């Protein structure tokens, strides 16, 4: 992914202008100069960014954990997040299976600078804005790409496009900050350095006489506690128990304030209640194919104490 983005920005802004023109009145020398400066900054950050690839289940768990925390606690988590590297390229699969959402995040002077890009088989959609954030406070910084796009026939749909992209950036901030926080808790998420390009793809390239670079990506997956966290966060209260009492069940991990420490700590997923943890049958309906799945059931196992 880093190699793909690097190749794109090596020919930027021409790579963008060729696919988004013609432009009204052309691109002014002043705007072209700023686009070239933007290219140089992107290439510089990509040269030292560490690539993290997060699977969909892990994205869901981190999202549930981030937005399940009260705003005051989330602010503290964001501020205290310790990045493993000064720049992260975080790749999340598109749920529709049409490509990947990519966030390039850097930390400068206690501020996170996050931008999203979309990578598909049809090409790359560069960022229109950068979200500068400190805690929950954010400021939108427009990129020269946005200014150029406004001059072309494929110009973004004003406030709607900016709102959509800023929301995606905010979501990435939540995922990245929570991921960095979870790295210090054993079993929540696991990381593994793997080849960025699959073995069959590398072999085909070698046979064609165009060997691909031997690059690594850090794959992020749920650990044993993370899988319990994901299940526990999806459990609904028993409607047949009006008093709110619960039989034994997994409780999702959560942040809490420690008596002897000034910062918040994370309490791992744990069992609460009496008796064995009982699996529950839950009905799930997907909006895209709701009519087909309306009569199907999914067994959501709550886990057991030895997991």
């Amino acid at each position: 992914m880093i190699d793909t983005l690097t190749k794109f920005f090596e020919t930027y802004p021409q790579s963008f202008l060729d696919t988004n023109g013609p432009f009204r009145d052309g691109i002014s020398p002043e705007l072209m100069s700023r686009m070239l400066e933007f290219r140089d900054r992107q290439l510089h950050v990509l040269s030292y960014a560490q690539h993290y690839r997060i699977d969909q289940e892990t994205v869901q768990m981190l999202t549930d954990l981030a937005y399940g925390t009260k705003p005051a606690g989330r602010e503290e988590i964001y501020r205290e997040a310790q990045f493993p590297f000064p720049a992260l390229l975080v790749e999340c699969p598109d749920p529709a299976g049409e490509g990947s959402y990519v966030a390039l995040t850097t930390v400068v002077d206690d501020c996170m600078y996050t931008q999203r890009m979309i990578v598909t088989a049809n090409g790359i959609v560069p960022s229109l804005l950068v979200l500068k954030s400190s805690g929950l406070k954010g400021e939108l910084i427009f990129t020269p790409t946005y200014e150029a796009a406004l001059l072309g026939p494929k110009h973004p749909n004003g406030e709607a496009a900016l709102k959509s992209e800023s929301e995606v950036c905010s979501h990435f901030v939540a995922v990245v900050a929570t991921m960095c926080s979870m790295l210090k808790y054993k079993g929540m998420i696991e990381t593994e350095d793997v080849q960025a390009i699959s073995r069959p793809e590398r072999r085909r390239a070698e046979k064609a006489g165009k060997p691909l670079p031997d690059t690594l990506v850090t794959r992020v997956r749920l650990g044993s506690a993370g899988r319990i966290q994901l299940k526990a966060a999806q459990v609904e209260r028993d409607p047949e128990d009006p008093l709110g009492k619960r039989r034994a069940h997994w409780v999702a991990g959560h942040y809490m304030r420690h008596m002897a420490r000034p910062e918040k700590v994370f309490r791992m997923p744990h069992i609460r209640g009496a008796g064995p943890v009982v699996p529950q049958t839950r009905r799930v309906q997907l909006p895209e194919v709701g009519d087909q799945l309306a009569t199907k059931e999914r067994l959501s196992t709550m886990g057991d104490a030895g997991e």
Side-chain angles (χ1 to χ4, degrees):
M1 184 63 68
I2 289 181
D3 294 327
T4 300
L5 291 172
T6 298
K7 289 179 181 178
F8 174 81
F9 281 106
E10 282 176 344
T11 58
Y12 178 94
Q14 202 60 47
S15 56
F16 173 78
L17 301 178
D18 288 344
T19 57
N20 289 272
F23 295 87
R24 300 191 307 273
D25 304 324
I27 301 297
S28 69
E30 188 271 337
L31 177 55
M32 178 62 74
S33 176
R34 285 191 286 115
M35 294 182 80
L36 292 173
E37 290 177 3
F38 180 68
R39 174 201 65 188
D40 293 341
R41 286 197 302 272
Q42 296 289 83
L43 290 174
H44 175 65
V45 174
L46 287 170
S47 70
Y48 64 84
Q50 178 69 22
H51 185 184
Y52 277 68
R53 182 178 292 160
I54 312 178
D55 64 32
Q56 191 59 44
E57 275 194 335
T58 307
V59 172
Q60 185 62 57
M61 188 276 286
L62 294 172
T63 301
D64 290 344
L65 181 56
Y67 292 104
T69 304
K70 293 182 179 179
R74 197 156 72 244
E75 167 107 19
E76 197 168 340
I77 295 167
Y78 289 5
R79 290 187 181 279
E80 293 177 357
Q82 298 294 316
F83 272 47
F85 298 93
L88 299 180
L89 182 75
V90 178
E91 177 186 353
C92 301
D94 177 5
E98 298 179 355
S100 300
Y101 285 98
V102 178
L104 184 59
T105 300
T106 59
V107 177
V108 181
D109 297 331
D110 297 327
C111 287
M112 293 175 62
Y113 292 82
T114 304
Q115 56 180 303
R116 82 96 182 96
M117 289 168 276
I118 302 174
V119 181
T120 68
N122 296 324
I124 295 174
V125 179
S127 59
L128 300 178
L129 55 85
V130 176
L131 175 61
K132 176 184 177 182
S133 59
S134 178
L136 295 181
K137 297 179 181 179
E139 173 190 352
L140 297 181
I141 303 173
F142 298 110
T143 68
T145 305
Y146 174 66
E147 297 179 49
L150 291 177
L151 302 174
K154 301 179 182 179
H155 62 83
N157 183 18
E159 294 184 2
L162 297 179
K163 182 176 183 293
S164 174
E165 185 159 336
S166 64
E167 288 176 348
V168 173
C169 287
S170 296
H171 179 249
F172 268 116
V173 169
V175 169
V176 172
T178 309
M179 179 191 76
C180 292
S181 177
M182 287 296 101
L183 287 173
K184 59 185 177 183
Y185 295 102
K186 185 177 180 180
M188 288 299 292
I189 56 176
E190 298 176 349
T191 61
E192 178 187 9
D193 289 338
V194 298
Q195 288 288 343
I197 304 172
S198 66
R199 182 178 299 176
E201 199 172 347
R202 294 201 308 273
R203 285 180 175 174
R204 286 195 295 268
E206 289 176 1
K207 289 181 180 179
K210 299 178 180 179
L212 297 172
D214 188 21
T215 55
L216 296 178
V217 56
T218 301
R219 183 169 60 186
V220 183
R221 297 183 296 180
L222 292 177
S224 57
R227 289 191 292 273
I228 293 170
Q229 171 76 9
L230 182 63
K231 294 175 184 177
Q234 297 172 347
V235 173
E236 300 174 355
R237 184 168 294 280
D238 190 348
E240 299 178 1
D241 186 358
L243 299 178
K245 295 180 180 179
R246 294 288 303 277
R247 58 175 175 255
H249 59 284
W250 279 105
V251 177
H254 54 275
Y255 289 94
M256 57 187 293
R257 193 168 297 281
H258 196 279
M259 293 290 291
R261 301 180 186 174
E263 76 279 3
K264 287 185 179 295
V265 297
F266 182 75
R267 186 175 186 188
M268 298 290 283
H270 54 281
I271 291 178
R272 181 181 296 163
V277 177
V278 181
Q280 296 182 358
T281 300
R282 303 178 68 236
R283 187 179 299 274
V284 176
Q285 180 172 322
L286 300 179
E288 305 94 305
V289 287
D291 293 339
Q292 301 176 33
L293 301 182
T295 59
K296 294 187 178 180
E297 294 181 344
R298 183 180 69 179
L299 183 64
S300 179
T301 304
M302 304 298 296
D304 53 53
E307 186 172 355

